[in-house]
Amino acid sequence: MFCIKCGSEIPSGAAFCTQCGTPVNEATQVTPPAGQAVESDTAAQQAASAQQVAAQPVSAQPAPPSGTAQTAATQPAAASAAPAAPAAAQRVTASPTPDATSAAPAAPTPSASGEAAAKKLPVIPIAIGAAAVVIIAAIVIALAVTGVFGSSNSSGVAAKGSVNDYTWAELSAISDEIGAATDENAAIEIAKKYNLCNQDGTLDGNQRKDVTLTNGLQTSVQIVGFAHDDKSDGSGKAGITFMFTDAIAQHKMNSNDSNAGGWVASEMRKWLSGEGAKLLPNDLLNAIAAVDKDANGIGKTGSSSSIATTSDKLWLYSSIEVAGTPSSEAKYANTYGNEGTQYLLFRNQSAARNKSNSILAKKYEGEFHSWYLRSAYIDDNDRFIRVDPDGNPSNAISAKRTLTVVPGFCL
């Protein structure tokens, strides 16, 4: 039998619980076999029995008759259902208290399988699971932001490691996103997330993509600026501007020794839009956007009225675009100063007039050569500005000289 108050097992024949001192008749409560009814005395009999037990000395109190009160140990079914304390008496001949059931602490009602009807959920595993979900979600978000999962930006293109990793179609889509930026600084921030520039927002000439021309010449192009040029169709800025890292051909500016009409009327411009463009692979040529370029359209002049705007897919750079602000003398400011603005790459690399710079030194077939700019030399009627083999963008040369060609283009 077990004590209903403390749950301790009471030795057979004991009158009181050896742990808490509760009288045996208060402790003898046995679970009946399944389906067996429990008989109970009337309230008067229970009271009389209780008074009788209480009046007897401890040594005089008789042990319950053999077989009249069965402990949980004699009831296998009951023991398995409630090992700590019996839930009910099988047959009670002497009730321990006027209302033993009200005095006893509540015990869970056994189910048919012997399990408690209610159980608490395991709190700790749930807490650990919730924390794990939060941690995993944070990791997934971080990896998505860095592009490890190939997450797409608003262009629909997943960020890659370098310019060379993208297709021309992908760069064109990225260029549209960059071109929609509010200004150059915002454009650079977009370029950074695609790894199109250094993480400090600068360009150093190493942002390159390999190109194989249709004549078999293997070369590359480098990014020179972001959101710099206006698209000719009026749709906004072209997001990315490129320059070939080496010359792609050799050609004269004009077949005659004249700069009349400047870049606008030059034979070089016509050649670039025809035979020159055919040197580019189709995937690149199809991605190029026509942009507006400002240039001296007269030749020998110091007037700002000489500036005309052309729409070109392939074009030559102007003096100010590579070397920055020209001399402050009015005639130079009116002409060279209105042929655009200096690109980011050349600003970052401190390119300037009358100064050699490796970023402007270009090779053709393994040798450094001079290359044409589109700026007509305004002090005479037969020359254009050129970049020397050492990268100095200051001297002028006759228009009928064959120099190397280093074009630019936009996406």
Side-chain angles (χ1 to χ4, degrees):
M1 72 184 70
F2 297 86
C3 178
I4 199 168
K5 288 189 176 182
C6 69
S8 300
E9 184 175 4
I10 301 174
S12 177
F16 294 89
C17 174
T18 58
Q19 297 296 321
C20 66
T22 301
V24 170
N25 287 336
E26 289 186 20
T28 52
Q29 198 175 88
V30 184
T31 303
Q36 184 172 338
V38 177
E39 297 179 6
S40 61
D41 295 327
T42 62
Q45 290 175 326
Q46 293 175 358
S49 298
Q51 291 176 358
Q52 181 179 8
V53 171
Q56 294 179 355
V58 175
S59 60
Q61 292 183 15
S66 177
T68 60
Q70 300 181 20
T71 65
T74 64
Q75 301 292 329
S80 63
Q90 176 186 355
R91 182 179 182 86
V92 181
T93 55
S95 299
T97 62
D99 190 354
T101 57
S102 63
T109 303
S111 65
S113 62
E115 296 179 348
K119 291 184 179 180
K120 292 184 179 180
L121 293 175
V123 176
I124 294 177
I126 292 176
I128 293 175
V133 169
V134 172
I135 293 171
I136 292 171
I139 293 172
V140 170
I141 291 171
L143 293 175
V145 170
T146 57
V148 172
F149 288 157
S151 61
S152 295
N153 294 284
S154 61
S155 66
V157 179
K160 298 182 180 180
S162 69
V163 181
N164 204 39
D165 295 330
Y166 297 100
T167 65
W168 285 113
E170 289 172 333
L171 287 171
S172 181
I174 295 170
S175 183
D176 288 343
E177 181 182 352
I178 294 173
T182 55
D183 54 33
E184 185 183 51
N185 288 334
I188 291 172
E189 288 303 311
I190 298 172
K192 284 165 63 174
K193 72 180 182 179
Y194 289 104
N195 298 311
L196 302 185
C197 61
N198 298 321
Q199 285 307 298
D200 61 359
T202 61
L203 294 170
D204 55 17
N206 291 317
Q207 292 73 33
R208 302 183 178 192
K209 181 170 176 59
D210 296 333
V211 176
T212 300
L213 302 181
T214 57
N215 63 5
L217 178 65
Q218 293 183 339
T219 183
S220 64
V221 295
Q222 57 195 165
I223 295 177
V224 300
F226 302 107
H228 189 105
D229 295 281
D230 293 320
K231 289 184 177 180
S232 297
D233 62 6
S235 61
K237 294 287 187 181
I240 309 173
T241 303
F242 288 88
M243 168 188 266
F244 278 88
T245 54
D246 298 303
I248 64 170
Q250 292 179 310
H251 203 271
K252 299 175 181 180
M253 185 65 77
N254 288 315
S255 58
N256 61 350
D257 196 11
S258 172
N259 63 11
W263 162 255
V264 179
S266 69
E267 294 177 14
M268 175 74 82
R269 178 169 176 254
K270 293 182 179 68
W271 179 82
L272 278 174
S273 66
E275 295 302 311
K278 292 179 181 179
L279 291 174
L280 276 57
N282 286 334
D283 56 347
L284 170 55
L285 190 61
N286 292 336
I288 293 177
V291 295
D292 294 341
K293 304 306 294 184
D294 294 330
N296 176 353
I298 292 179
K300 183 181 179 181
T301 181
S303 172
S304 60
S305 63
S306 67
I307 301 302
T309 300
T310 62
S311 175
D312 299 303
K313 285 192 170 184
L314 286 179
W315 35 267
L316 298 185
Y317 283 84
S318 69
S319 176
I320 192 173
E321 286 176 341
V322 297
T325 305
S327 170
S328 60
E329 189 176 343
K331 64 178 181 179
Y332 298 118
N334 289 339
T335 51
Y336 303 142
N338 284 312
E339 292 184 312
T341 58
Q342 191 176 30
Y343 282 91
L344 179 64
L345 171 62
F346 308 126
R347 294 203 315 265
N348 292 159
Q349 301 305 310
S350 302
R353 293 171 58 249
N354 300 314
K355 179 182 177 182
S356 297
N357 194 307
S358 61
I359 202 70
L360 295 175
K362 302 294 182 178
K363 290 182 177 182
Y364 181 68
E365 295 182 343
E367 300 291 334
F368 287 103
H369 289 269
S370 293
W371 49 285
Y372 275 115
L373 296 176
R374 72 172 183 271
S375 300
Y377 187 57
I378 66 172
D379 287 329
D380 60 38
N381 58 16
D382 64 347
R383 291 187 285 175
F384 280 81
I385 303 295
R386 67 171 179 173
V387 177
D388 292 340
D390 61 357
N392 183 350
S394 300
N395 296 320
I397 195 168
S398 172
K400 68 178 183 180
R401 294 284 300 272
T402 299
L403 299 186
T404 58
V405 182
V406 183
F409 62 89
C410 297
L411 300 183

